[in-house]
Amino acid sequence: MARFTAIAALIFLVGTIIAFTAPGNLFAILQGIGFGGLVVSFFYYGWKALRWIRRRLLWKVRNRIIIAFAFVGFIPALVLALIVWFSMTFVFRQLSVVYVQDKLEQLEQELHDIGEKVVLRYYQSEDRGEVRLREMLVQERQAVLDLQPHLRNTRFRLLRRITRRDQSSYDLLWQEPPAQTDAAPELPYWVQNGFHGLAASAGRPSFRSVLPVRGQGRDYVIDLDLPMDEFLLGHIEEQTSIGLSLIELGGGGQQTMESQVAEFFQARSELTEIKWAHVLQPANWDNRVNASTVPHGALIRLHLGEFVPRFFSEGAGLGPLLPLLAGLALIFVAVEIGSLLIGIAIARSITRSIHNLYAGTRNIQEGKFDYRIPAGDRDQLEAMASAFNQMSESVVQLMSQVSDKERLEKEIEIAREVQTHLFPRELPSVSRIQLAGTCLPARRVSGDYYDFIPWSEELLDVIVADISGKGISAALLMANLQSTIRTHVAYQAARQNGERPMAEVVAAINRQMYVHTAPDKFATLVLARLDTAEMTLTYCNAGHNPPYLISSQGVRRLTQGGMVAGLFESPTYEEETLSLKRGDLLVLYTDGVVEAENREGEQFEEERLQELLQGNYFLTADDIRDLIISEVTNFMSGQEQKDDITVVTMKVG
């Protein structure tokens, strides 16, 4: 990995130099390739470092318990702090909007009250001329400058309405402070009856208050305009501890608006500063005909360090709550620290006992079985030490048992090797016959048995048997059965001059097993003789799973015979002789094939085996045997084999 990292660093350096000296060069891609390799190296060495830290830091149980206590105490506290922080952020965001809206409504009302005050004084005076109305406006403006300095940028206008053919225009009679032009402003038609609120003209939001005035046969209009400039926004921030920035949504180009918002949120902020955005809906002053709105974005910057004390101020009636919350936070921190210290103390007491147990295991590992751990009964760990001492006393006994078990395992292994030699190690050569056979024990030794006994190049006896039970007892009985079958087959061959009736041989095997085995032991078997000179098959089935003879004529189950061998002294057995043809397939098997189970407890069953043989009987004997074993194994899907599986296949060539 070090070589990989060095190559990646070199490629990155070369790519960086190319990108710097020749921008756009195709080989500048080496910079990205090298960077990707460095990222892979970073994660690899990071993982190695974490493993090293884990081995060094967390090897001792004491450190693990201390860290566990720290996490148990720290993580919930951190989660709680995050929940409080996010909740506080959400709540104060909403409060900031409410505070801003309240302040805007307050400014709007203040402006409207100024206009209504002038109108009311005007109607209460005896002189209702233009001069008198202008004097009142001048006096009110001076009062605003003296008593309401935050409204000092308010523009006072006095307009005279001129109506011609249902259309109104205005003459500018007076305005203070003066504007750059003395042209009369055009008022929207929909403010004929008055208006007060937030309005926007040419993308500039302001508070407007329009009040119609009737005097001496003429119509006048008082227009008060308070722009939301930096001075007014500063006043709002001073009153609420909330900073505001205004942008026209959709105005000045989409890219410009997005850049302003992005710049606002990407600017560096203090930890106690919350940024938020809110939408204002000022009236569209530029729309002369219909009342509509021009959305403006209010970018809100909330200073928690100033806003929270103001929120919990005495004026709000929440003054005592802030020290109370701070006290609760300090108590919580103290409890967390105390819990950590208590956890460390408990960890030390636990790890002391664990260290004693570790020392005991090391001594046992070195063979010092007389070592004892200092133990008491004060807690469960010391009780565990007492149990460890009792365990060490039993180690010697366990070792002797292990020695006996190993000896038994060796004997079973010897039995398995001996049994392996009882199966045919080489297949006999018989003209016109392909032979194949195998046995898969469910345990280390098998109770199944198969054998080939050749008498000539044209004559062959085939045996497949299944002993009741499994394990060593079945394997011993299987060895005895093999000896019995071979003895009786040879004896009958000599006595009958080579005719060897199958039924007599099976009957003799039955008597031998009945006399010399336990009453609950028995065997199922099939004894078959193949004669390729006559092309015949003679068989006798003693309670075994019926073999299959598959030919072009169909499938035949070989059931002729009698009951299982070994249960009764003199049962009757019969044999059957069948003609064989080229291409015929004979399959003998034990119940381990058809009784194999899958994960759902479903058995393989004879119907599935028969369909498999019918569809593939054209294969060779070896292929048929391998196919059966493969299908059964796949059907079990990794389930434990419950019975021995034996398959013998013969194909007539």
Side-chain angles (χ1 to χ4, degrees):
M1 195 63 186
R3 183 178 300 176
F4 174 84
T5 305
I7 294 174
L10 180 60
I11 292 175
F12 177 75
L13 179 61
V14 172
T16 302
I17 295 174
I18 293 175
F20 180 76
T21 57
N25 192 296
L26 179 62
F27 289 99
I29 196 176
L30 295 175
Q31 184 181 22
I33 297 174
F35 180 76
L38 292 176
V39 170
V40 173
S41 300
F42 173 79
F43 281 105
Y44 173 79
Y45 285 111
W47 176 71
K48 296 277 287 184
L50 288 176
R51 289 188 60 189
W52 182 85
I53 292 173
R54 180 179 178 274
R55 286 196 303 266
R56 293 286 185 177
L57 184 61
L58 300 181
W59 187 85
K60 288 187 177 182
V61 178
R62 175 182 300 174
N63 295 343
R64 292 192 179 192
I65 295 177
I66 291 174
I67 293 176
F69 274 112
F71 271 94
V72 168
F74 176 73
I75 296 299
L78 179 61
V79 170
L80 180 60
L82 290 176
I83 292 175
V84 171
W85 171 257
F86 286 116
S87 300
M88 185 175 64
T89 301
F90 176 78
V91 170
F92 283 118
R93 279 178 177 177
Q94 304 306 314
L95 285 175
S96 66
V97 173
V98 174
Y99 268 53
V100 169
Q101 290 281 20
D102 182 69
K103 188 61 179 177
L104 296 181
E105 292 175 1
Q106 179 182 345
L107 291 171
E108 171 190 329
Q109 189 62 41
E110 287 182 6
L111 191 65
H112 186 61
D113 289 345
I114 292 172
E116 286 189 334
K117 182 179 178 181
V118 173
V119 172
L120 181 60
R121 288 176 57 199
Y122 175 75
Y123 283 139
Q124 290 176 348
S125 66
E126 295 180 357
D127 183 7
R128 297 186 182 180
E130 176 183 322
V131 176
R132 180 58 178 164
L133 183 57
R134 184 184 303 179
E135 290 176 354
M136 290 183 179
L137 285 174
V138 172
Q139 293 174 1
E140 193 60 33
R141 169 166 169 73
Q142 187 60 44
V144 167
L145 294 177
D146 295 338
L147 302 177
Q148 296 174 286
H150 58 281
L151 303 180
R152 68 184 186 186
N153 291 336
T154 303
R155 186 179 301 278
F156 287 69
R157 293 190 184 96
L158 178 61
L159 307 175
R160 181 171 56 208
R161 179 185 298 171
I162 304 174
T163 304
R164 298 186 183 91
R165 294 182 182 181
D166 298 331
Q167 293 185 357
S168 297
S169 61
Y170 300 90
D171 287 337
L172 178 63
L173 302 178
W174 172 81
Q175 68 176 357
E176 188 67 30
Q180 295 179 353
T181 176
D182 293 333
E186 292 292 334
L187 297 180
Y189 178 78
W190 45 271
V191 300
Q192 295 290 327
N193 297 322
F195 170 85
H196 72 278
L198 191 62
S201 177
R204 181 180 67 86
S206 62
F207 293 100
R208 301 295 290 261
S209 180
V210 178
L211 297 97
V213 182
R214 181 77 176 175
Q216 293 184 350
R218 295 180 180 273
D219 292 331
Y220 300 97
V221 174
I222 297 176
D223 181 15
L224 304 181
D225 183 2
L226 175 61
M228 293 188 68
D229 52 15
E230 294 297 330
F231 175 76
L232 186 61
L233 295 180
H235 168 72
I236 295 175
E237 183 173 1
E238 181 181 353
Q239 293 294 314
T240 62
S241 301
I242 300 173
L244 287 178
S245 299
L246 299 179
I247 59 172
E248 181 181 356
L249 300 181
Q254 185 70 13
Q255 185 175 3
T256 303
M257 179 194 68
E258 292 179 353
S259 63
Q260 289 178 343
V261 175
E263 182 180 356
F264 173 76
F265 282 101
Q266 292 175 3
R268 179 174 296 181
S269 304
E270 299 178 0
L271 184 62
T272 58
E273 187 177 76
I274 299 175
K275 293 182 178 180
W276 186 242
H278 182 63
V279 177
L280 302 177
Q281 298 287 346
N284 186 1
W285 207 256
D286 297 327
N287 188 342
R288 303 299 179 182
V289 180
N290 300 318
S292 60
T293 59
V294 182
H296 276 65
L299 304 179
I300 301 174
R301 181 182 293 105
L302 180 63
H303 303 278
L304 289 179
E306 301 174 2
F307 183 78
V308 172
R310 183 184 299 274
F311 178 74
F312 288 100
S313 65
E314 294 289 348
L318 300 176
L321 187 58
L322 184 60
L324 178 61
L325 292 177
L328 290 176
L330 292 176
I331 293 174
F332 180 77
V333 172
V335 169
E336 284 293 323
I337 296 175
S339 299
L340 180 61
L341 296 177
I342 294 174
I344 294 174
I346 294 175
R348 290 180 60 84
S349 65
I350 293 174
T351 55
R352 186 181 300 110
S353 299
I354 293 177
H355 175 75
N356 292 335
L357 288 171
Y358 174 73
T361 56
R362 291 299 301 268
N363 280 275
I364 295 296
Q365 184 180 4
E366 294 173 1
K368 301 176 182 178
F369 301 110
D370 57 345
Y371 181 82
R372 297 294 179 268
I373 298 175
D377 56 357
R378 291 183 301 174
D379 54 34
Q380 189 176 16
L381 286 173
E382 293 193 352
M384 187 186 301
S386 299
F388 180 89
N389 293 335
Q390 296 176 5
M391 180 196 69
S392 62
E393 294 175 359
S394 303
V395 168
V396 177
Q397 299 178 4
L398 293 176
M399 291 179 62
S400 63
Q401 294 176 7
V402 169
S403 179
D404 293 340
K405 184 178 179 181
E406 290 178 351
R407 183 170 62 254
L408 180 60
E409 291 288 336
K410 290 181 180 179
E411 293 176 355
I412 293 176
E413 183 63 25
I414 293 172
R416 188 188 67 82
E417 293 178 0
V418 171
Q419 187 183 50
T420 302
H421 288 81
L422 297 180
F423 292 110
R425 285 180 287 176
E426 295 182 0
L427 298 178
S429 177
V430 180
S431 63
R432 305 180 64 183
I433 296 294
Q434 299 176 12
L435 300 175
T438 189
C439 177
L440 301 178
R443 300 180 183 176
R444 300 185 68 177
V445 290
S446 172
D448 282 2
Y449 164 64
Y450 77 95
D451 203 357
F452 301 107
I453 305 177
W455 299 104
S456 67
E457 293 184 357
E458 299 174 341
L459 206 59
L460 173 71
D461 284 345
V462 180
I463 306 99
V464 172
D466 185 0
I467 308 299
S468 62
K470 301 178 185 67
I472 295 295
S473 62
L476 293 175
L477 190 57
M478 173 268 199
N480 180 57
L481 178 62
Q482 191 235 25
S483 176
T484 300
I485 291 175
R486 281 186 168 266
T487 299
H488 282 284
V489 168
Y491 174 72
Q492 290 296 101
R495 188 167 67 85
Q496 299 294 337
N497 297 321
E499 294 182 4
R500 302 195 298 271
M502 298 291 101
E504 289 188 18
V505 175
V506 174
I509 294 171
N510 173 76
R511 285 191 296 272
Q512 183 79 9
M513 290 192 64
Y514 178 80
V515 173
H516 296 288
T517 60
D520 60 338
K521 294 296 181 181
F522 61 90
T524 65
L525 62 94
V526 175
L527 182 58
R529 179 199 308 150
L530 286 170
D531 188 342
T532 58
E534 300 293 334
M535 291 299 290
T536 60
L537 168 67
T538 303
Y539 75 92
C540 180
N541 187 337
H544 196 76
N545 296 88
Y548 286 101
L549 178 61
I550 301 97
S551 64
S552 59
Q553 304 299 321
V555 179
R556 181 166 182 173
R557 301 170 76 245
L558 307 184
T559 60
Q560 192 69 29
M563 66 171 47
V564 298
L567 287 183
F568 299 95
E569 184 176 4
S570 302
T572 301
Y573 293 95
E574 298 179 357
E575 63 185 49
E576 182 180 13
T577 301
L578 304 173
S579 296
L580 299 176
K581 294 181 181 179
R582 181 181 180 85
D584 289 354
L585 173 66
L586 180 63
V587 178
L588 296 85
Y589 60 94
T590 58
D591 56 1
V593 174
V594 295
E595 294 178 1
E597 295 182 356
N598 59 15
R599 296 183 182 275
E600 289 74 28
E602 180 185 3
Q603 292 188 348
F604 193 77
E605 297 182 346
E606 293 184 357
E607 290 79 3
R608 200 187 308 271
L609 177 61
Q610 181 175 331
E611 292 176 2
L612 179 67
L613 297 176
Q614 282 182 288
N616 300 276
Y617 87 96
F618 56 86
L619 299 176
T620 64
D622 287 330
D623 292 339
I624 290 292
R625 175 202 59 194
D626 296 340
L627 179 62
I628 294 173
I629 296 300
S630 175
E631 288 295 321
V632 172
T633 302
N634 292 336
F635 179 80
M636 290 190 296
S637 302
Q639 290 292 98
E640 181 183 0
Q641 182 180 333
K642 295 182 179 181
D643 200 359
D644 306 322
I645 296 176
T646 300
V647 177
V648 173
T649 58
M650 292 172 284
K651 186 72 175 286
V652 180

